[in-house]
Each structure stands twice: as structure tokens, then as C-alpha cells.
């Protein structure tokens, strides 16, 4: 064994010993079975429509903090909405419901119309029933296609990563109701 190999072995031994001691001292930390990460990964593509209904008695997007006009009237800066929006297979609200988008979004710019999106796509169909895909990112409303990161998920999507492309399909400028096509690309273990 060379000096470098001995040094590396000692360093690895100290790290392993420190990890085991830390686990024993805390009582709430344990190792993950490395076989979990040796499972095959799959990348799935989901396409659905997100219906943001802000008007009427059956609104699915509700203001929890209204925009303050003294700061900015053109970008809705400061507005925060909580959502429970339908996700449908087709662009019509009456098409098959496959899940819901639950979370919040907030207008975060004083000069542009963009939103911080924090939401879970909760899926209802087939083997994905009960699984979620978590999104957190910036949605620049004036771009034709917006990219938002997938930061994780639950169920089938544990340790998920990827991105979502959002494209406005329909916007009613009078009511504010909108339909957005989402194409979500998710890498996950199977």
C-alpha cells in the first residue's frame, strides 16, 4: 500500500466511524440501504392541463394576500393565491380529471409579471394514484414556454427530479381564468 492509499483508507475509516457515532448519539438518524439507489431509473413524460379558476362561486384559486396598489398596479406585486386547481387530460375543464394542483403562487416582481410557484401535482390515475410531483420555481407569465424545476415528490416519485414546461393555452383577460398546458418530465426510481 502506498502512502496515498493508506491516507485514503484512514480518512474513509474516520468518516465511517464518525457517521456511526453520530447515528448512535442522535437516535433518529440511520443509513439508507444502498440497494435503493441501485434500482433502475425511469424518465416519464406527463401532459395535462392546469385550470386556474379565479372567478365565480367555484373558484379554485383564492387570494390570501391581495396586491397592494401603492406598490405596483401592473404586476400585482405582493399578491399571494392558494390553489386547488383541477388537472385534466384535455384542455376543456369538462375533460377527464386526472389530479389536482395544490399549493400557492405569488407575484414576486415589481417590474415584470412573474410568479413564484410552489405546488404539488397530486395524481389520481392508475399506478400514480396518490403520488405527487413537487414544483418550485419562477413562472415568467410573458414567456411563451416557461420552465419550472421538479424538486421531488412522493409515492412513485420519491427522490424525483426533472422539469415542467408551462404554456398558456387560454386566458380570459376579463375574469383572469386561465388554462395552462403542462409537460412534465420526471426522472424517478422504479
Amino acid at each position: 500500500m502506498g502512502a496515498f492509499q493508506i491516507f485514503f483508507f484512514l480518512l474513509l475509516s474516520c468518516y465511517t466511524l464518525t457517521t456511526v457515532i453520530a447515528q448512535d448519539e442522535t437516535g433518529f438518524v440511520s443509513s439508507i440501504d444502498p440497494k435503493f439507489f441501485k434500482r433502475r431509473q425511469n424518465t416519464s413524460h406527463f401532459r395535462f392541463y392546469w385550470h386556474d379558476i379565479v372567478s365565480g362561486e367555484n373558484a379554485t384559486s383564492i387570494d390570501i394576500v391581495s396586491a397592494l396598489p401603492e406598490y405596483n398596479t401592473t404586476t400585482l406585486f405582493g399578491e399571494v393565491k392558494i390553489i386547488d386547481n383541477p388537472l385534466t387530460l384535455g384542455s376543456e375543464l369538462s375533460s377527464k380529471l386526472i389530479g389536482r394542483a395544490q399549493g400557492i403562487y405569488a407575484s414576486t416582481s415589481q417590474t415584470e409579471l412573474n410568479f413564484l410557484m410552489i405546488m404539488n401535482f397530486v395524481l389520481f390515475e392508475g399506478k400514480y394514484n396518490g403520488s405527487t410531483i413537487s414544483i418550485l420555481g419562477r413562472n415568467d407569465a410573458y414567456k411563451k414556454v416557461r420552465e419550472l424545476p421538479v424538486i421531488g415528490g412522493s409515492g412513485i416519485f420519491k427522490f424525483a427530479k426533472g422539469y415542467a414546461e408551462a404554456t398558456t393555452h387560454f386566458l380570459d383577460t376579463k375574469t383572469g381564468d386561465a388554462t395552462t398546458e403542462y409537460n412534465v418530465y420526471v426522472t424517478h426510481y422504479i
Side-chain angles (χ1 to χ4, degrees):
M1 260 189 183
F4 177 75
Q5 291 169 326
I6 293 171
F7 173 76
F8 183 74
F9 175 76
L10 290 173
L11 183 64
L12 184 60
S13 297
C14 288
Y15 173 75
T16 303
L17 181 60
T18 303
T19 303
V20 170
I21 290 170
Q23 290 172 359
D24 289 344
E25 288 176 5
T26 62
F28 63 87
V29 177
S30 64
S31 298
I32 296 174
D33 184 352
K35 291 178 188 174
F36 178 84
F37 295 104
K38 291 182 182 176
R39 295 182 355 200
R40 195 167 57 102
Q41 285 190 341
N42 186 45
T43 300
S44 301
H45 171 217
F46 295 88
R47 180 177 169 262
F48 47 75
Y49 291 85
W50 180 86
H51 299 273
D52 195 38
I53 305 164
V54 299
S55 67
E57 291 180 15
N58 296 318
T60 61
S61 180
I62 309 289
D63 279 0
I64 54 175
V65 177
S66 296
L68 300 173
E70 63 265 21
Y71 289 107
N72 194 310
T73 58
T74 59
T75 68
L76 304 173
F77 177 67
E79 181 178 72
V80 180
K81 291 186 176 288
I82 192 162
I83 63 170
D84 185 19
N85 289 348
L87 301 175
T88 61
L89 195 55
S91 60
E92 297 301 317
L93 184 56
S94 60
S95 68
K96 183 176 184 175
L97 181 70
I98 58 147
R100 299 202 71 87
Q102 297 172 332
I104 63 173
Y105 65 87
S107 179
T108 55
S109 176
Q110 294 183 46
T111 58
E112 302 171 315
L113 186 60
N114 66 58
F115 302 96
L116 169 64
M117 308 292 289
I118 306 167
M119 62 183 163
N120 289 310
F121 294 141
V122 182
L123 302 176
F124 299 158
E125 285 299 307
K127 69 179 182 179
Y128 304 106
N129 185 23
S131 294
T132 65
I133 299 170
S134 300
I135 303 286
L136 172 68
R138 182 176 186 259
N139 184 349
D140 185 345
Y142 288 130
K143 285 189 176 179
K144 181 177 172 147
V145 178
R146 288 91 65 196
E147 289 186 1
L148 300 141
V150 170
I151 61 166
S154 67
I156 287 177
F157 302 111
K158 288 181 187 84
F159 295 103
K161 59 185 174 183
Y163 71 99
E165 292 180 341
T167 307
T168 302
H169 179 75
F170 169 78
L171 173 63
D172 185 326
T173 56
K174 291 180 182 175
T175 65
D177 293 349
T179 301
T180 302
E181 177 183 341
Y182 271 88
N183 283 281
V184 184
Y185 302 89
V186 184
T187 301
H188 55 96
Y189 292 99
I190 56 172

